[in-house]
């Protein structure tokens, strides 16, 4: 009841069940240590300078750098660091990057995270194939005026990355304005056009991708922008029949491996 009234924020998440945050500003300060200007990052006095420069140039954050940044800011407790790391992913501010098969196993583990708002401006050169379908994602305020908060794109990138990494062997290619994913065997390119998002889908069977895209955009809208309404306009190119991949199986696989997304 207190959650519904807006007095507290409660999350049905096992990793948060034993934590009560009395000072929300501490979460904001922890996030601001990681998501900040490159000028502020460059002035950070941390030992892992190579990882710091890599993060500033690529938007990929190593766990050892994350811990160093927080320790430098006075957040040295390991349990607290793990909690804040989980919140970064819970709020779709970062997404853990699955290691490549060729990467050696590190001891201790040093997972990497993609931070969408820190990604560089690049253009993906991946070709989506002959059959290309397009969709536009539009958002409107209560007066039916079009709006497009940048956070919509960033959150959607995190959600798409999780799907892509768990349901295909394709390595996502996210950038600040363009990101390429794969849902099953279907390639998907999301383009941030500032006032809207344009989606290009490569492949013959487009319906499951559009259905999944609507689900993910709906989650972004519900979790972060409940005052906005969204609309997806789809243009399906001429294509030949193909065998659809089972969306339900992919969803079950994702939920089993990533309970962080469970409601």
């Amino acid at each position: 009841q207190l959650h519904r009234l807006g007095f507290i924020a409660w999350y049905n998440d096992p990793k948060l069940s034993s934590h009560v945050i009395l000072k929300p500003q501490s979460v904001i300060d922890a996030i601001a240590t990681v998501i900040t200007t490159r000028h502020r990052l460059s002035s950070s006095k941390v030992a892992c300078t190579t990882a710091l420069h890599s993060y500033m140039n690529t938007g990929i954050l190593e766990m050892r750098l994350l811990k160093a940044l927080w320790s430098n800011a006075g957040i040295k407790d390991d349990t607290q660091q793990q909690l804040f790391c989980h919140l970064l992913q819970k709020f779709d501010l970062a997404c853990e990057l699955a290691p490549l098969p060729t990467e050696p196993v590190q001891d201790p583990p040093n997972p990497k995270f993609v931070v969408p708002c820190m990604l560089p401006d690049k253009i993906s050169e991946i070709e989506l194939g002959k059959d290309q379908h397009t969709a536009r994602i539009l958002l409107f305020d209560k007066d039916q005026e079009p709006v497009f908060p940048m956070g919509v794109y960033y959150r959607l990138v995190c959600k798409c990355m999780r799907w892509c990494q768990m349901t295909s062997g394709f390595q996502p290619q996210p950038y600040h304005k363009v990101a390429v994913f794969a849902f099953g065997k279907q390639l998907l390119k999301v383009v941030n056009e500032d006032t809207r998002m344009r989606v290009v889908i490569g492949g013959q069977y487009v319906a499951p991708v559009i259905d999944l895209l609507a689900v993910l955009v709906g989650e972004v809208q519900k979790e972060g922008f409940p005052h906005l309404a969204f609309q997806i306009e789809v243009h399906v190119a001429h294509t030949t029949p193909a065998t659809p991949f089972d969306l339900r199986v992919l969803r079950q696989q994702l939920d089993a491996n990533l309970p962080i997304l469970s409601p």
Side-chain angles (χ1 to χ4, degrees):
Q1 184 67 22
L2 291 174
H3 175 80
R4 287 196 294 269
L5 293 174
F7 289 105
I8 63 173
W10 176 80
Y11 298 99
N12 185 16
D13 187 324
K15 291 187 177 181
L16 300 178
S17 60
S18 59
H19 297 280
V20 177
I21 299 176
L22 300 178
K23 295 181 179 180
Q25 185 63 44
S26 64
V27 179
I28 298 173
D29 293 340
I31 293 173
T33 305
V34 178
I35 300 177
T36 183
T37 63
R38 286 171 172 78
H39 174 73
R40 182 181 175 189
L41 282 172
S42 63
S43 61
S44 301
K45 297 179 180 179
V46 293
C48 40
T49 55
T50 301
L52 178 63
H53 292 153
S54 176
Y55 176 49
M56 293 169 58
N57 294 326
T58 66
I60 297 178
L61 175 66
E62 297 183 26
M63 176 62 83
R64 63 190 180 104
L65 173 61
L66 180 60
K67 287 179 172 290
L69 289 171
W70 279 340
S71 296
N72 201 34
I75 308 171
K76 299 182 179 181
D77 180 71
D78 186 65
T79 301
Q80 193 174 14
Q81 289 184 353
Q82 291 181 19
L83 170 64
F84 288 158
C85 182
H86 181 71
L87 288 175
L88 279 174
Q89 298 175 81
K90 182 75 176 177
F91 297 151
D92 288 329
L93 297 172
C95 176
E96 186 171 350
L97 186 62
L100 295 172
T102 55
E103 288 186 27
V105 178
Q106 299 191 37
D107 187 22
N110 183 37
K112 298 178 181 179
F113 303 88
V114 171
V115 183
C117 65
M118 299 295 289
L119 290 168
D121 284 318
K122 290 186 179 180
I123 302 296
S124 175
E125 298 180 355
I126 292 180
E127 296 293 335
L128 300 190
K130 180 178 64 175
D131 296 310
Q132 293 190 13
H133 320 275
T134 58
R136 293 192 307 164
I137 301 175
L138 308 172
L139 290 101
F140 304 91
D141 61 16
K142 61 181 180 179
D143 298 320
Q144 294 300 307
E145 292 293 327
V147 294
F148 188 78
M150 286 292 292
V152 173
Y153 173 77
Y154 299 147
R155 283 173 173 259
L156 186 61
V157 165
C158 283
K159 293 185 182 299
C160 287
M161 280 195 63
R162 294 189 185 104
W163 265 93
C164 178
Q165 293 183 138
M166 293 307 306
T167 61
S168 71
F170 181 82
Q171 185 73 11
Q173 291 198 8
Y175 299 111
H176 190 250
K177 293 264 185 173
V178 180
V180 179
F181 310 100
F183 292 164
K185 296 181 180 180
Q186 308 289 111
L187 288 178
L188 178 80
K189 179 186 289 186
V190 180
V191 183
N192 176 11
E193 296 183 333
D194 295 330
T195 59
R196 65 185 182 186
M197 276 188 292
R198 178 169 55 88
V199 180
V200 183
I201 303 165
Q204 294 182 323
Y205 203 87
V206 66
V209 178
I210 293 297
D211 289 343
L212 176 55
L213 187 64
V215 170
L216 297 182
V217 174
E219 290 177 357
V220 170
Q221 180 261 345
K222 180 181 178 181
E223 295 167 3
F225 309 90
H227 59 291
L228 300 180
F230 77 91
Q231 174 182 329
I232 298 181
E233 300 176 355
V234 184
H235 173 71
V236 179
H238 175 71
T239 184
T240 55
T243 303
F245 53 87
D246 194 332
L247 193 61
R248 290 169 298 178
V249 173
L250 299 187
R251 183 75 195 191
Q252 291 169 2
Q253 183 183 6
L254 185 70
D255 289 341
N257 288 277
L258 284 171
I260 187 175
L261 297 182
S262 301

PDB file of all heavy atoms in Angstrom, residues 99-122:
ATOM      1  N   PRO A  99      30.825 -12.750 -21.844  1.00  0.00           N
ATOM      2  CA  PRO A  99      32.201 -12.870 -22.360  1.00  0.00           C
ATOM      3  C   PRO A  99      32.227 -13.634 -23.670  1.00  0.00           C
ATOM      4  O   PRO A  99      31.405 -14.517 -23.924  1.00  0.00           O
ATOM      5  CB  PRO A  99      32.925 -13.637 -21.255  1.00  0.00           C
ATOM      6  CG  PRO A  99      31.849 -14.396 -20.544  1.00  0.00           C
ATOM      7  CD  PRO A  99      30.623 -13.544 -20.621  1.00  0.00           C
ATOM      8  N   LEU A 100      33.178 -13.288 -24.508  1.00  0.00           N
ATOM      9  CA  LEU A 100      33.373 -14.014 -25.756  1.00  0.00           C
ATOM     10  C   LEU A 100      33.963 -15.389 -25.466  1.00  0.00           C
ATOM     11  O   LEU A 100      34.685 -15.567 -24.471  1.00  0.00           O
ATOM     12  CB  LEU A 100      34.308 -13.226 -26.677  1.00  0.00           C
ATOM     13  CG  LEU A 100      33.794 -11.874 -27.179  1.00  0.00           C
ATOM     14  CD1 LEU A 100      34.907 -11.125 -27.911  1.00  0.00           C
ATOM     15  CD2 LEU A 100      32.593 -12.052 -28.090  1.00  0.00           C
ATOM     16  N   PRO A 101      33.678 -16.381 -26.317  1.00  0.00           N
ATOM     17  CA  PRO A 101      34.235 -17.729 -26.087  1.00  0.00           C
ATOM     18  C   PRO A 101      35.755 -17.755 -26.047  1.00  0.00           C
ATOM     19  O   PRO A 101      36.355 -18.622 -25.413  1.00  0.00           O
ATOM     20  CB  PRO A 101      33.696 -18.529 -27.286  1.00  0.00           C
ATOM     21  CG  PRO A 101      32.493 -17.782 -27.752  1.00  0.00           C
ATOM     22  CD  PRO A 101      32.776 -16.338 -27.479  1.00  0.00           C
ATOM     23  N   THR A 102      36.377 -16.785 -26.717  1.00  0.00           N
ATOM     24  CA  THR A 102      37.845 -16.760 -26.778  1.00  0.00           C
ATOM     25  C   THR A 102      38.478 -16.066 -25.579  1.00  0.00           C
ATOM     26  O   THR A 102      39.697 -16.119 -25.407  1.00  0.00           O
ATOM     27  CB  THR A 102      38.293 -16.044 -28.060  1.00  0.00           C
ATOM     28  OG1 THR A 102      37.695 -14.729 -28.115  1.00  0.00           O
ATOM     29  CG2 THR A 102      37.862 -16.827 -29.294  1.00  0.00           C
ATOM     30  N   GLU A 103      37.664 -15.406 -24.749  1.00  0.00           N
ATOM     31  CA  GLU A 103      38.211 -14.687 -23.603  1.00  0.00           C
ATOM     32  C   GLU A 103      38.617 -15.666 -22.504  1.00  0.00           C
ATOM     33  O   GLU A 103      37.873 -16.582 -22.173  1.00  0.00           O
ATOM     34  CB  GLU A 103      37.181 -13.688 -23.057  1.00  0.00           C
ATOM     35  CG  GLU A 103      36.944 -12.487 -23.938  1.00  0.00           C
ATOM     36  CD  GLU A 103      36.035 -11.466 -23.273  1.00  0.00           C
ATOM     37  OE1 GLU A 103      36.007 -11.429 -22.029  1.00  0.00           O
ATOM     38  OE2 GLU A 103      35.348 -10.739 -23.990  1.00  0.00           O
ATOM     39  N   PRO A 104      39.805 -15.476 -21.925  1.00  0.00           N
ATOM     40  CA  PRO A 104      40.236 -16.365 -20.830  1.00  0.00           C
ATOM     41  C   PRO A 104      39.419 -16.101 -19.562  1.00  0.00           C
ATOM     42  O   PRO A 104      38.946 -14.987 -19.324  1.00  0.00           O
ATOM     43  CB  PRO A 104      41.710 -15.979 -20.628  1.00  0.00           C
ATOM     44  CG  PRO A 104      41.806 -14.566 -21.113  1.00  0.00           C
ATOM     45  CD  PRO A 104      40.811 -14.452 -22.241  1.00  0.00           C
ATOM     46  N   VAL A 105      39.259 -17.137 -18.752  1.00  0.00           N
ATOM     47  CA  VAL A 105      38.556 -17.013 -17.473  1.00  0.00           C
ATOM     48  C   VAL A 105      39.462 -16.299 -16.481  1.00  0.00           C
ATOM     49  O   VAL A 105      40.628 -16.667 -16.310  1.00  0.00           O
ATOM     50  CB  VAL A 105      38.158 -18.397 -16.935  1.00  0.00           C
ATOM     51  CG1 VAL A 105      37.472 -18.261 -15.577  1.00  0.00           C
ATOM     52  CG2 VAL A 105      37.250 -19.111 -17.929  1.00  0.00           C
ATOM     53  N   GLN A 106      38.934 -15.249 -15.860  1.00  0.00           N
ATOM     54  CA  GLN A 106      39.742 -14.452 -14.944  1.00  0.00           C
ATOM     55  C   GLN A 106      39.456 -14.850 -13.503  1.00  0.00           C
ATOM     56  O   GLN A 106      38.326 -15.169 -13.138  1.00  0.00           O
ATOM     57  CB  GLN A 106      39.450 -12.959 -15.144  1.00  0.00           C
ATOM     58  CG  GLN A 106      39.779 -12.452 -16.531  1.00  0.00           C
ATOM     59  CD  GLN A 106      39.729 -10.942 -16.611  1.00  0.00           C
ATOM     60  OE1 GLN A 106      40.113 -10.245 -15.675  1.00  0.00           O
ATOM     61  NE2 GLN A 106      39.257 -10.435 -17.736  1.00  0.00           N
ATOM     62  N   ASP A 107      40.472 -14.816 -12.687  1.00  0.00           N
ATOM     63  CA  ASP A 107      40.358 -15.119 -11.268  1.00  0.00           C
ATOM     64  C   ASP A 107      41.112 -14.045 -10.479  1.00  0.00           C
ATOM     65  O   ASP A 107      42.342 -13.956 -10.571  1.00  0.00           O
ATOM     66  CB  ASP A 107      40.928 -16.511 -10.973  1.00  0.00           C
ATOM     67  CG  ASP A 107      40.672 -16.945  -9.534  1.00  0.00           C
ATOM     68  OD1 ASP A 107      39.740 -16.388  -8.921  1.00  0.00           O
ATOM     69  OD2 ASP A 107      41.402 -17.820  -9.031  1.00  0.00           O
ATOM     70  N   PRO A 108      40.412 -13.208  -9.712  1.00  0.00           N
ATOM     71  CA  PRO A 108      38.964 -13.228  -9.486  1.00  0.00           C
ATOM     72  C   PRO A 108      38.188 -12.757 -10.718  1.00  0.00           C
ATOM     73  O   PRO A 108      38.759 -12.092 -11.596  1.00  0.00           O
ATOM     74  CB  PRO A 108      38.791 -12.262  -8.311  1.00  0.00           C
ATOM     75  CG  PRO A 108      39.935 -11.311  -8.454  1.00  0.00           C
ATOM     76  CD  PRO A 108      41.078 -12.125  -8.979  1.00  0.00           C
ATOM     77  N   PRO A 109      36.894 -13.081 -10.788  1.00  0.00           N
ATOM     78  CA  PRO A 109      36.087 -12.677 -11.944  1.00  0.00           C
ATOM     79  C   PRO A 109      36.074 -11.160 -12.107  1.00  0.00           C
ATOM     80  O   PRO A 109      36.078 -10.409 -11.129  1.00  0.00           O
ATOM     81  CB  PRO A 109      34.693 -13.208 -11.598  1.00  0.00           C
ATOM     82  CG  PRO A 109      34.924 -14.300 -10.603  1.00  0.00           C
ATOM     83  CD  PRO A 109      36.125 -13.880  -9.813  1.00  0.00           C
ATOM     84  N   ASN A 110      36.083 -10.740 -13.351  1.00  0.00           N
ATOM     85  CA  ASN A 110      36.053  -9.311 -13.657  1.00  0.00           C
ATOM     86  C   ASN A 110      35.034  -9.059 -14.770  1.00  0.00           C
ATOM     87  O   ASN A 110      35.402  -8.764 -15.914  1.00  0.00           O
ATOM     88  CB  ASN A 110      37.446  -8.830 -14.082  1.00  0.00           C
ATOM     89  CG  ASN A 110      37.485  -7.331 -14.346  1.00  0.00           C
ATOM     90  OD1 ASN A 110      36.827  -6.544 -13.661  1.00  0.00           O
ATOM     91  ND2 ASN A 110      38.226  -6.924 -15.361  1.00  0.00           N
ATOM     92  N   PRO A 111      33.730  -9.215 -14.450  1.00  0.00           N
ATOM     93  CA  PRO A 111      32.717  -9.025 -15.494  1.00  0.00           C
ATOM     94  C   PRO A 111      32.721  -7.601 -16.038  1.00  0.00           C
ATOM     95  O   PRO A 111      33.177  -6.661 -15.373  1.00  0.00           O
ATOM     96  CB  PRO A 111      31.398  -9.332 -14.771  1.00  0.00           C
ATOM     97  CG  PRO A 111      31.701  -9.156 -13.320  1.00  0.00           C
ATOM     98  CD  PRO A 111      33.139  -9.525 -13.143  1.00  0.00           C
ATOM     99  N   LYS A 112      32.203  -7.465 -17.256  1.00  0.00           N
ATOM    100  CA  LYS A 112      32.133  -6.162 -17.896  1.00  0.00           C
ATOM    101  C   LYS A 112      30.674  -5.773 -18.108  1.00  0.00           C
ATOM    102  O   LYS A 112      29.809  -6.630 -18.304  1.00  0.00           O
ATOM    103  CB  LYS A 112      32.862  -6.189 -19.241  1.00  0.00           C
ATOM    104  CG  LYS A 112      34.356  -6.497 -19.125  1.00  0.00           C
ATOM    105  CD  LYS A 112      35.020  -6.569 -20.496  1.00  0.00           C
ATOM    106  CE  LYS A 112      36.492  -6.908 -20.375  1.00  0.00           C
ATOM    107  NZ  LYS A 112      37.156  -7.018 -21.699  1.00  0.00           N
ATOM    108  N   PHE A 113      30.416  -4.478 -18.076  1.00  0.00           N
ATOM    109  CA  PHE A 113      29.065  -3.958 -18.224  1.00  0.00           C
ATOM    110  C   PHE A 113      29.042  -2.902 -19.326  1.00  0.00           C
ATOM    111  O   PHE A 113      29.964  -2.091 -19.437  1.00  0.00           O
ATOM    112  CB  PHE A 113      28.564  -3.341 -16.913  1.00  0.00           C
ATOM    113  CG  PHE A 113      28.593  -4.282 -15.752  1.00  0.00           C
ATOM    114  CD1 PHE A 113      29.736  -4.406 -14.965  1.00  0.00           C
ATOM    115  CD2 PHE A 113      27.500  -5.071 -15.443  1.00  0.00           C
ATOM    116  CE1 PHE A 113      29.772  -5.271 -13.884  1.00  0.00           C
ATOM    117  CE2 PHE A 113      27.528  -5.949 -14.368  1.00  0.00           C
ATOM    118  CZ  PHE A 113      28.662  -6.050 -13.589  1.00  0.00           C
ATOM    119  N   VAL A 114      27.986  -2.915 -20.108  1.00  0.00           N
ATOM    120  CA  VAL A 114      27.757  -1.862 -21.085  1.00  0.00           C
ATOM    121  C   VAL A 114      26.892  -0.793 -20.432  1.00  0.00           C
ATOM    122  O   VAL A 114      25.822  -1.093 -19.890  1.00  0.00           O
ATOM    123  CB  VAL A 114      27.058  -2.410 -22.345  1.00  0.00           C
ATOM    124  CG1 VAL A 114      26.631  -1.270 -23.262  1.00  0.00           C
ATOM    125  CG2 VAL A 114      27.990  -3.348 -23.094  1.00  0.00           C
ATOM    126  N   VAL A 115      27.365   0.444 -20.450  1.00  0.00           N
ATOM    127  CA  VAL A 115      26.607   1.581 -19.913  1.00  0.00           C
ATOM    128  C   VAL A 115      26.121   2.399 -21.114  1.00  0.00           C
ATOM    129  O   VAL A 115      26.902   3.151 -21.707  1.00  0.00           O
ATOM    130  CB  VAL A 115      27.483   2.435 -18.973  1.00  0.00           C
ATOM    131  CG1 VAL A 115      26.660   3.568 -18.375  1.00  0.00           C
ATOM    132  CG2 VAL A 115      28.079   1.567 -17.866  1.00  0.00           C
ATOM    133  N   PRO A 116      24.855   2.250 -21.522  1.00  0.00           N
ATOM    134  CA  PRO A 116      24.392   2.829 -22.788  1.00  0.00           C
ATOM    135  C   PRO A 116      24.630   4.334 -22.937  1.00  0.00           C
ATOM    136  O   PRO A 116      25.016   4.792 -24.013  1.00  0.00           O
ATOM    137  CB  PRO A 116      22.888   2.498 -22.795  1.00  0.00           C
ATOM    138  CG  PRO A 116      22.792   1.251 -21.990  1.00  0.00           C
ATOM    139  CD  PRO A 116      23.804   1.402 -20.906  1.00  0.00           C
ATOM    140  N   CYS A 117      24.416   5.095 -21.874  1.00  0.00           N
ATOM    141  CA  CYS A 117      24.562   6.544 -22.017  1.00  0.00           C
ATOM    142  C   CYS A 117      26.017   6.979 -22.141  1.00  0.00           C
ATOM    143  O   CYS A 117      26.294   8.144 -22.436  1.00  0.00           O
ATOM    144  CB  CYS A 117      23.893   7.271 -20.865  1.00  0.00           C
ATOM    145  SG  CYS A 117      24.643   6.960 -19.264  1.00  0.00           S
ATOM    146  N   MET A 118      26.971   6.056 -21.938  1.00  0.00           N
ATOM    147  CA  MET A 118      28.382   6.378 -22.088  1.00  0.00           C
ATOM    148  C   MET A 118      28.964   5.801 -23.374  1.00  0.00           C
ATOM    149  O   MET A 118      30.164   5.895 -23.606  1.00  0.00           O
ATOM    150  CB  MET A 118      29.165   5.829 -20.879  1.00  0.00           C
ATOM    151  CG  MET A 118      28.741   6.402 -19.532  1.00  0.00           C
ATOM    152  SD  MET A 118      29.086   8.172 -19.373  1.00  0.00           S
ATOM    153  CE  MET A 118      30.874   8.128 -19.250  1.00  0.00           C
ATOM    154  N   LEU A 119      28.128   5.203 -24.218  1.00  0.00           N
ATOM    155  CA  LEU A 119      28.611   4.596 -25.452  1.00  0.00           C
ATOM    156  C   LEU A 119      29.079   5.652 -26.441  1.00  0.00           C
ATOM    157  O   LEU A 119      28.547   6.764 -26.478  1.00  0.00           O
ATOM    158  CB  LEU A 119      27.499   3.751 -26.090  1.00  0.00           C
ATOM    159  CG  LEU A 119      27.130   2.460 -25.348  1.00  0.00           C
ATOM    160  CD1 LEU A 119      25.848   1.881 -25.917  1.00  0.00           C
ATOM    161  CD2 LEU A 119      28.267   1.452 -25.433  1.00  0.00           C
ATOM    162  N   PRO A 120      30.049   5.333 -27.286  1.00  0.00           N
ATOM    163  CA  PRO A 120      30.546   6.299 -28.273  1.00  0.00           C
ATOM    164  C   PRO A 120      29.615   6.400 -29.473  1.00  0.00           C
ATOM    165  O   PRO A 120      28.771   5.520 -29.713  1.00  0.00           O
ATOM    166  CB  PRO A 120      31.895   5.703 -28.689  1.00  0.00           C
ATOM    167  CG  PRO A 120      31.713   4.227 -28.515  1.00  0.00           C
ATOM    168  CD  PRO A 120      30.811   4.062 -27.315  1.00  0.00           C
ATOM    169  N   ASP A 121      29.765   7.477 -30.229  1.00  0.00           N
ATOM    170  CA  ASP A 121      29.003   7.671 -31.468  1.00  0.00           C
ATOM    171  C   ASP A 121      29.703   6.934 -32.598  1.00  0.00           C
ATOM    172  O   ASP A 121      30.739   7.374 -33.088  1.00  0.00           O
ATOM    173  CB  ASP A 121      28.888   9.162 -31.814  1.00  0.00           C
ATOM    174  CG  ASP A 121      27.862   9.869 -30.950  1.00  0.00           C
ATOM    175  OD1 ASP A 121      26.786   9.289 -30.728  1.00  0.00           O
ATOM    176  OD2 ASP A 121      28.139  10.986 -30.485  1.00  0.00           O
ATOM    177  N   LYS A 122      29.146   5.796 -32.991  1.00  0.00           N
ATOM    178  CA  LYS A 122      29.663   5.028 -34.115  1.00  0.00           C
ATOM    179  C   LYS A 122      28.505   4.483 -34.920  1.00  0.00           C
ATOM    180  O   LYS A 122      27.363   4.466 -34.464  1.00  0.00           O
ATOM    181  CB  LYS A 122      30.559   3.872 -33.634  1.00  0.00           C
ATOM    182  CG  LYS A 122      31.900   4.308 -33.051  1.00  0.00           C
ATOM    183  CD  LYS A 122      32.765   3.103 -32.735  1.00  0.00           C
ATOM    184  CE  LYS A 122      34.120   3.522 -32.180  1.00  0.00           C
ATOM    185  NZ  LYS A 122      34.972   2.344 -31.858  1.00  0.00           N
TER     186      LYS A 122
END
